[in-house]
Amino acid sequence: MYTLHIDDLNGTDRDIDTPNWRSRRMVLAKEKVGFSLHETTLRAGTDNEFWYANHVEAVYCVGGKGTLTDLETGEKYEITDGFLYLLDGHEKHRVQVEEEMRMVCVFNPPVTGREVHDENGIYPLIVEDD
């Protein structure tokens, strides 16, 4: 059994803090369960573009308010507490944050924690050695 409290991640290599967002990675590839699980806080007033070309991501909003734009179709969706989106087609997307948003994110394949968004917002595919 694996257990932790989110605050145990503060200030560790699983706590990634940028000007626009903070991601605390609760479950990573090294746990070898087939997915990774993150709590990500998007800061109010930010505009964030992402494109997970190598991963499928499910995002569940548990607080805050913003707008999701599918950059491929132009469709817009209001994000509020209880809203989920699944990037099962590797869609390029934008999240504009009106009120700080707290999101629960699941990635498949799992991320290792060493990924860094490139200039296109893409995480490279990195796998853990067995």
Side-chain angles (χ1 to χ4, degrees):
M1 180 182 298
Y2 172 84
T3 66
L4 68 80
H5 188 278
I6 189 73
D7 291 337
D8 295 338
L9 301 177
N10 295 346
T12 70
D13 62 350
R14 290 180 180 232
D15 182 6
I16 310 303
D17 200 359
T18 77
N20 285 15
W21 50 267
R22 178 184 188 194
S23 178
R24 292 184 287 178
R25 282 89 188 265
M26 301 174 78
V27 176
L28 290 172
K30 68 173 92 182
E31 276 73 58
K32 300 192 181 297
V33 293
F35 64 90
S36 59
L37 176 70
H38 314 194
E39 179 193 78
T40 301
T41 301
L42 299 168
R43 294 189 170 92
T46 61
D47 188 339
N48 306 275
E49 284 193 25
F50 302 107
W51 179 26
Y52 296 111
N54 300 307
H55 300 84
V56 170
E57 182 190 26
V59 181
Y60 181 63
C61 179
V62 296
K65 183 177 179 183
T67 302
L68 167 68
T69 303
D70 181 331
L71 294 176
E72 297 173 14
T73 66
E75 289 181 89
K76 293 182 184 258
Y77 308 88
E78 182 179 348
I79 303 173
T80 58
D81 182 15
F83 183 81
L84 174 127
Y85 61 94
L86 177 64
L87 301 165
D88 57 343
H90 307 283
E91 295 86 355
K92 292 180 184 180
H93 61 289
R94 171 182 288 130
V95 179
Q96 295 167 293
V97 186
E98 184 176 329
E99 298 171 6
E100 181 177 272
M101 297 168 60
R102 191 166 152 240
M103 315 294 267
V104 177
C105 308
V106 177
F107 285 87
N108 185 18
V111 302
T112 65
R114 299 186 306 273
E115 295 81 1
V116 176
H117 288 102
D118 69 13
E119 66 278 0
N120 296 308
I122 298 173
Y123 273 160
L125 182 58
I126 301 174
V127 295
E128 286 290 336
D129 295 329
D130 285 335

